[in-house]
Amino acid sequence: SLDMALSSILREAEIAAGLQSCQAADSFDYKTVFVKVGLNSKSKDQVAKVFGILDQDRSGSIEELRLLLKSFSASARALTKAEAKALLAAGNRDGDGEIGVDGKTALTKR
């Protein structure tokens, strides 16, 4: 399951803290959330693994990004379109409209 795979890399308490930090609409700040869920302390491989788990159909599309928080926890909210667009813009390093491996690494480094 998704949770099992994620919990092999991230700690539940950290995921909860990350989700807690962005409960209000338009309060999602990927840097804050990724730091809180513990992604910043992970290796490039672990980061790639987490994004692989989150990006199930490998599209990295806006609609899918809106469900990013839900992939950490089913009870989390969907991102607003603006939040998803900001995340995509931050992670889309080569302008192809998707978040590639370099973008994922960039998203998780301060």
Side-chain angles (χ1 to χ4, degrees):
S1 88
L2 194 63
D3 291 349
M4 282 297 296
L6 274 179
S7 63
S8 68
I9 304 169
L10 303 175
R11 300 209 337 257
E12 245 174 78
E14 291 178 323
I15 291 174
L19 294 174
Q20 191 85 47
S21 73
C22 60
Q23 285 180 317
D26 292 317
S27 65
F28 173 76
D29 171 45
Y30 72 86
K31 287 187 175 140
T32 303
V33 173
F34 292 166
V35 168
K36 285 186 186 288
V37 299
L39 268 179
N40 292 56
S41 60
K42 304 300 175 200
S43 70
K44 200 172 183 168
D45 284 352
Q46 288 174 309
V47 167
K49 243 188 213 135
V50 169
F51 276 97
I53 295 163
L54 299 178
D55 184 13
Q56 297 228 300
D57 68 2
R58 301 282 179 274
S59 76
S61 68
I62 287 278
E63 282 313 305
E64 190 180 60
L65 283 174
R66 293 192 65 191
L67 303 178
L68 174 77
L69 299 177
K70 287 191 167 299
S71 47
F72 284 111
S73 167
S75 60
R77 69 177 177 86
L79 293 180
T80 65
K81 271 218 163 75
E83 288 171 324
K85 277 191 178 134
L87 180 62
L88 183 62
N92 182 19
R93 290 300 157 126
D94 53 8
D96 67 354
E98 293 186 10
I99 298 180
V101 174
D102 294 346
K104 288 164 188 163
T105 308
L107 285 174
T108 57
K109 297 299 166 222
R110 275 168 234 180

